[in-house]
């Protein structure tokens, strides 16, 4: 090593921070190629008898240098925190796994018990994960609380290796009576995609100890998101969820909303740039209304959310006492929508809570088509009940969840089934008291079928007294069942109904129903009843007032419904 290089290293080492059990070489830009280049550094490590944290970030470590450092670490049994991000700049990819194995062997030989391991910004790929695989499985990581692997290019293969290592670590540590309790997991920008994310979801569900999960920019779409959502539900201490810049779409967002119902400690949700869209935003608004009591930040930016859905979200966060920031920037509100959103927040003295709307995409064009992937998504959505959780306890249906052992619907009389297959006013009257069986045929976990049944019955509305009473009694009974439960299934039903009525653009191939005035008159009657919650009326009113042109063929009945909704909303205030 040249004398001027030695002098440079000595000068750099003189600037290291030593104290509180930490030795820091952070950001010194040292090029550490071989054993000679790290002699001074090794001596510093060896002489620090109570070493608990070692910072090597921002230097570049070669294979021989790593071996020398590892040798020095073999006596550091008190070491707990390794901050080793960005330590392989300029190194051959083939060198990195060998260097990582050496460093890991040094920690394992020392019998160190790590609590934090940061290897972010080391583009080591799947082979790099293999380099830390044995370390992660070892007793040295049984005590791990924070694992940071941001921007490491792990890919699907690396994600699977990492997941298996964490599962094995949990198995071995559990056998010793002290299971792995990882609290912070960071792995953004790793191209994990669905397979890698799903593999990690199994580890997350097993551990059940996570408090922060950061997995932005991983190319995960709804299948991987659904797996992660299922795992999140089993981590009750979660405080931060960051899945920014993945592709949720409707199914993924519904699954996440379902998971959030079980989580009471979440403070930060970052679903920005995740294509949450309107139906997803409505589902999240439902959870906000009755859960997430200490939420501080909500990011739904760049999600193709329109004005009406954004207003529903904004109103849902108004009563959150700890709420500090709502980010709806980059959506499809339009200039008037942005003003309406600002006004809604300011009217309740929450204007400071709303993030900038400077990057709004403007109102969507009617001819905009959804992506092909989402068409496939929608086709598959009716088969969600095939995807059971591992414990078999829950069955997913259209993003909702029900108990697998929930009561099976009793077999209805043939007359009821005949009516449902081909509704008519005559058949409805003939049912008599059997009309009560109709609501038993409506499954609250299938909003599509529920909306269709409701619209079909409401279409029979007539001013002929006997028919009018029969129709209204039947639709009242159906709506009472659909709206009386928790907010999430009822909001999902209402958003589906809005799609079928043409008041909300849905995903995939869901088609607008052919509306007749009677359907709107049934809703006009329903929204005035005690069973119809005011916040549900507010949701309908928001979409009707923004997208009422879709009902121009039923203008008179639309005005009656609009008037009833407006009155109900005024009563709320």
């Amino acid at each position: 090593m040249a004398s001027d290089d030695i002098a440079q290293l000595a000068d750099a080492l003189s600037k290291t921070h030593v104290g509180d059990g930490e030795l820091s070489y952070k950001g010194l830009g040292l090029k550490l190629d071989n054993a000679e280049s790290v002699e001074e550094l090794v001596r510093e490590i060896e002489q620090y008898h109570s070493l608990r944290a070692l910072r090597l970030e921002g230097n570049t470590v070669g294979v021989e240098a790593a071996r020398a450092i590892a040798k020095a670490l073999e006596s550091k049994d008190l070491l707990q925190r390794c901050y080793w991000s960005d330590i392989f700049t300029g190194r051959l990819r083939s060198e990195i796994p060998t260097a990582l194995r050496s460093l890991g062997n040094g920690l394992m030989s020392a019998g160190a018990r790590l609590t934090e391991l940061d290897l972010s910004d080391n583009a080591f790929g799947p082979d790099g994960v293999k380099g830390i695989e044995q370390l992660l499985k070892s007793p040295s990581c049984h005590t791990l609380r924070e694992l940071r692997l941001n921007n490491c290019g792990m890919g699907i293969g690396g994600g699977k290796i990492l997941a298996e290592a964490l599962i094995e670590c949990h198995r071995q540590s559990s056998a010793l009576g002290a299971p792995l309790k990882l609290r912070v997991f960071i792995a953004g920008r790793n191209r994990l995609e669905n397979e890698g994310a799903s593999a990690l979801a199994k580890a997350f569900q097993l551990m059940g100890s996570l408090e922060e999960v950061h997995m932005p920019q991983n190319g995960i779409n709804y299948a991987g998101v659904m797996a992660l959502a299922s795992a999140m539900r089993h981590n009750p201490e979660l405080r931060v969820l960051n899945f920014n810049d993945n592709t949720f779409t409707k199914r993924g967002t519904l699954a996440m909303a379902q998971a959030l119902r079980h989580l009471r400690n979440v403070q930060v949700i970052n679903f920005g740039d995740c294509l949450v869209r309107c139906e997803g935003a409505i589902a999240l608004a439902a959870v906000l209304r009755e859960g997430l009591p200490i939420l501080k930040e909500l990011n739904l930016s760049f999600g193709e959310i329109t004005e009406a859905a954004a207003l529903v979200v904004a109103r849902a966060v108004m009563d959150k006492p700890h709420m500090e920031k709502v980010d709806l920037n980059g959506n499809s509100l339009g200039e008037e929508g942005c003003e309406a959103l600002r006004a809604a927040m300011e009217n309740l003295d929450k204007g400071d809570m709303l993030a900038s709307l400077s990057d709004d995409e403007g109102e969507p064009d009617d001819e905009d088509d959804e992506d092909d992937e989402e068409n496939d998504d929608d086709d598959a959505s009716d088969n969600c009940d095939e995807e059971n959780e591992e414990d078999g306890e829950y069955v997913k249906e259209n993003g909702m969840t029900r108990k697998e052992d929930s009561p099976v619907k009793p077999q209805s009389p043939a007359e009821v089934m005949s009516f449902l297959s081909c509704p008519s006013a005559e058949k409805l009257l003939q049912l008599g008291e059997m009309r009560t069986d109709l609501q038993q045929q409506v499954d609250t976990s299938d909003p599509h079928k529920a909306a269709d049944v409701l619209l079909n019955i409401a279409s029979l509305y007539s001013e002929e007294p006997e028919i009018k009473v029969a129709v209204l009694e039947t639709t009242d009974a159906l709506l009472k069942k659909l709206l009386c439960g928790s907010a999430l299934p009822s909001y999902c039903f209402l958003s589906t109904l809005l799609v079928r009525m043409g008041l909300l653009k849905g995903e995939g191939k869901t088609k607008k129903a052919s509306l007749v005035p009677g359907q709107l008159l049934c809703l006009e009657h329903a929204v005035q009843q005690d069973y119809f919650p005011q916040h549900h009326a507010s949701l309908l009113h928001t979409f009707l007032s923004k997208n009422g042109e879709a009902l121009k063929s039923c203008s008179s009945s639309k005005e009656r419904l609009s008037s009833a909704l407006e009155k109900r909303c005024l009563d709320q205030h």
Side-chain angles (χ1 to χ4, degrees), residues 498-528:
L498 289 168
V499 171
R500 297 287 282 127
M501 293 174 66
L503 295 172
L504 168 62
K505 185 176 182 180
E507 294 186 353
K509 300 176 181 177
T510 304
K511 294 181 180 179
K512 177 185 173 184
S514 297
L515 294 181
V516 295
Q519 293 160 326
L520 304 188
L521 295 177
C522 285
L523 283 175
E524 179 212 3
H525 165 82
V527 300
Q528 300 176 69

Side-chain angles (χ1 to χ4, degrees), residues 5 71 149 152 271 280 377 400 404 431 452 514:
D5 291 335
K71 185 68 176 175
L149 295 168
C152 288
F271 295 163
D377 170 6
M400 306 306 300
E404 193 173 31
L431 286 177
D452 285 343
S514 297

Side-chain angles (χ1 to χ4, degrees), residues 99-378:
L100 287 171
R101 285 191 190 94
S102 295
L103 292 168
N105 288 338
L107 296 170
M108 289 186 285
S109 297
R113 293 293 184 266
L114 298 183
T115 58
E116 296 181 45
L117 178 60
D118 186 356
L119 289 166
S120 298
D121 301 316
N122 290 310
F124 48 50
D127 290 339
V129 185
K130 292 178 182 177
I132 59 172
E133 183 179 7
Q134 293 308 312
L135 172 63
L136 291 173
K137 292 178 179 179
S138 75
S140 288
C141 285
H142 288 185
T143 51
L144 197 61
R145 296 294 178 264
E146 300 185 17
L147 179 59
R148 294 177 169 86
L149 295 168
N150 202 58
N151 191 31
C152 288
M154 288 189 286
I156 294 171
K160 289 181 175 180
I161 296 168
L162 175 60
E164 288 301 320
L166 291 173
I167 290 170
E168 180 62 17
C169 182
H170 185 272
R171 187 190 70 78
Q172 292 186 21
S173 58
S174 297
L176 296 172
L180 170 66
K181 293 184 178 179
L182 193 67
R183 293 173 185 161
V184 177
F185 180 84
I186 301 176
R189 300 182 66 187
N190 271 290
R191 305 193 307 276
L192 293 169
E193 300 182 16
N194 288 341
E195 290 184 61
S198 297
L200 285 165
K202 294 178 181 178
F204 297 161
Q205 182 164 325
L206 189 64
M207 292 185 291
S209 56
L210 290 169
E211 296 178 11
E212 294 187 27
V213 177
H214 302 260
M215 297 176 67
Q217 286 185 282
N218 269 296
I220 307 168
N221 66 27
Y222 75 87
V225 173
M226 290 175 75
L228 288 168
S230 178
M232 295 304 101
R233 189 168 65 84
H234 293 271
N235 288 265
E237 299 304 316
L238 267 172
R239 294 182 293 105
V240 179
L241 273 176
N242 177 7
F243 293 110
N244 189 285
D245 199 7
N246 290 290
T247 307
F248 280 29
T249 58
K250 176 183 173 181
R251 289 183 70 185
T253 311
L254 290 182
M256 276 294 175
Q258 182 67 255
L260 288 168
R261 295 174 72 188
H262 300 270
L263 303 172
R264 307 290 295 175
N265 295 302
V266 175
Q267 297 178 22
V268 178
I269 294 174
N270 186 344
F271 295 163
D273 206 7
C274 284
L275 283 186
V276 164
R277 293 179 176 150
C278 294
E279 290 173 278
I282 292 170
L284 291 172
V287 180
L288 286 163
R289 279 211 167 264
E290 60 184 12
L292 302 169
I294 60 173
L295 188 67
K296 293 181 178 180
E297 295 183 22
L298 176 65
N299 184 346
L300 298 180
S301 60
F302 298 93
E304 296 187 2
I305 298 169
T306 59
E307 175 189 350
L311 287 169
V312 171
V313 171
R315 288 167 187 151
V317 303
M318 293 299 187
D319 295 328
K320 296 295 174 192
H322 304 282
M323 203 71 188
E324 297 173 0
K325 183 179 179 181
V326 179
D327 191 347
L328 289 163
N329 193 25
N331 281 296
S332 303
L333 309 184
E335 187 174 342
E336 291 184 4
C338 289
E339 288 303 317
L341 183 59
R342 290 190 191 99
M345 299 291 282
E346 289 171 359
N347 286 343
L348 293 172
D349 295 324
K350 303 287 185 179
D352 293 342
M353 185 190 299
L354 184 65
S356 168
L357 299 173
S358 59
D359 295 317
D360 187 73
E361 297 286 342
E363 294 183 57
D365 295 329
D366 291 338
E367 64 270 16
D368 282 351
D369 293 324
E370 308 293 356
D371 53 66
D372 292 337
E373 174 195 22
E374 197 50 54
N375 288 337
D376 295 337
D377 170 6
D378 189 74

Side-chain angles (χ1 to χ4, degrees), residues 409-413 416-417 420 436-443 449 453 478 481:
K409 290 177 295 187
Q411 183 64 43
S412 289
V416 172
M417 303 309 294
L420 288 171
T436 57
D437 288 333
L438 287 171
Q439 61 180 294
Q440 295 175 353
Q441 292 301 308
V442 176
D443 188 345
K449 290 181 181 177
V453 170
L478 285 173
K481 176 181 179 179

